[in-house]
Amino acid sequence: MTSTSSPIVQMQKLNKHFGSLHVLKNIDLEIVPGEVVVVIGASGSGKSTLIRCINGLEEFQSGSLDVDGNTLLPDGKSSKALQTIRTEVGMVFQQFNLFPHLSVIDNITLAPMKVRGWSRKDAEETAQRLLERVGIADQAQKYPSQLSGGQQQRVALARALAMEPRLMLFDEPTSALDPEMIGEVLDAMRELAKEGMTMVIVTHEMGFAREVADRVIFIHKGEITEQGPPEQLFDAPQHERTQSFLARVLKH
């Protein structure tokens, strides 16, 4: 992790409302290139909304947000910046969101060809290399319905990487998987972290968070309550909210 770089994400006093519900409250957050940040907290605490604001999937109502030099404005008033951010930021969701009528390789090549203007040959070569990287090179011609959940999520990961993102966001990428398939997706993410990819990960996998994170952020009711290196946050949490949350999740 490089701490001297300019932040790739800079969020200041960001507030997000769903109607009368105040979901994110005065969030200040900086992420530098190469950093792996894991966001933890109870369901409904605002974790997913936080990362969905980073790539403009959710609009925010006040504050400022800069992603890789592109400024997003409140209430979605920054469409040009938004288009750029969408090409620079990859995202992997809980659900795989693959196109069921396209083969694995066509799912991966579609965006680089349409958005980046790559030739089919270049897109397919990149797709094949990425499928090898996530351990499913032999599945290229299959359709999503022929794959296990873990394999589908690794295709979704390869698809996001095909756009050569500067930043990867993960919204609980293993929560829809059967327990025996979680490990294979986490392994692919571990490799990414080792390679220096900047990552923001929302997850309930605390062992994984401890292992890969440079920094863990605990969110409670829309506020960043505590953050720090994993050994500090997991072994000596300072805030009682963090303590009670970890006591609950770590005993399972």
Side-chain angles (χ1 to χ4, degrees):
M1 186 190 92
T2 19
S3 54
T4 51
S5 312
S6 301
I8 193 169
V9 175
Q10 201 158 21
M11 205 178 263
Q12 292 178 310
K13 299 283 175 273
L14 185 135
N15 285 276
K16 162 73 184 171
H17 298 264
F18 287 120
S20 61
L21 193 62
H22 197 172
V23 186
L24 295 175
K25 302 170 185 171
N26 291 316
I27 299 285
D28 290 321
L29 177 63
E30 287 191 352
I31 296 164
V32 297
E35 189 175 18
V36 178
V37 175
V38 173
V39 184
I40 64 171
S43 295
S45 58
K47 309 182 301 291
S48 295
T49 305
L50 175 71
I51 64 165
R52 288 169 69 90
C53 284
I54 293 174
N55 69 348
L57 282 175
E58 294 288 356
E59 295 172 2
F60 58 98
Q61 279 65 58
S62 66
S64 66
L65 174 57
D66 186 277
V67 182
D68 203 15
N70 302 283
T71 301
L72 281 174
L73 300 174
D75 297 315
K77 295 173 183 156
S78 44
S79 58
K80 192 157 191 289
L82 183 57
Q83 289 166 356
T84 309
I85 287 167
R86 292 265 173 88
T87 60
E88 301 297 328
V89 178
M91 185 149 181
V92 177
F93 299 88
Q94 294 180 39
Q95 304 301 333
F96 322 122
N97 295 347
L98 300 173
F99 294 111
H101 62 289
L102 295 181
S103 66
V104 163
I105 200 153
D106 287 343
N107 262 284
I108 297 169
T109 57
L110 185 66
M113 287 165 60
K114 279 196 179 303
V115 179
R116 295 226 187 264
W118 291 8
S119 69
R120 175 170 289 281
K121 181 175 179 290
D122 286 347
E124 287 189 351
E125 282 175 4
T126 299
Q128 201 59 50
R129 179 172 51 78
L130 289 169
L131 286 171
E132 280 172 31
R133 189 168 162 189
V134 298
I136 46 171
D138 55 340
Q139 307 295 323
Q141 301 307 323
K142 289 189 177 175
Y143 287 84
S145 62
Q146 297 172 292
L147 305 180
S148 70
Q151 289 171 327
Q152 289 187 62
Q153 193 61 297
R154 285 185 283 163
V155 174
L157 177 54
R159 180 177 61 178
L161 292 172
M163 287 293 284
E164 299 183 336
R166 300 249 301 130
L167 167 68
M168 282 289 294
L169 307 176
F170 295 86
D171 187 6
E172 300 191 18
T174 59
S175 66
L177 298 178
D178 293 333
E180 67 272 17
M181 293 171 188
I182 289 172
E184 59 195 50
V185 174
L186 295 181
D187 283 344
M189 292 168 66
R190 276 188 193 96
E191 287 304 311
L192 267 190
K194 281 183 199 158
E195 290 164 17
M197 173 63 77
T198 313
M199 300 162 75
V200 186
I201 305 164
V202 171
T203 186
H204 292 293
E205 300 291 332
M206 296 299 152
F208 174 74
R210 183 191 284 270
E211 182 189 342
V212 305
D214 295 304
R215 178 164 42 127
V216 178
I217 291 174
F218 172 66
I219 293 190
H220 177 71
K221 293 187 175 174
E223 295 180 279
I224 294 179
T225 305
E226 188 170 349
Q227 58 181 307
E231 57 276 13
Q232 176 195 312
L233 196 121
F234 285 117
D235 297 335
Q238 301 301 300
H239 198 286
E240 64 174 294
R241 296 282 183 200
T242 322
Q243 292 164 4
S244 63
F245 171 76
L246 290 172
R248 205 164 61 246
V249 297
L250 294 176
K251 71 180 179 194
H252 291 306

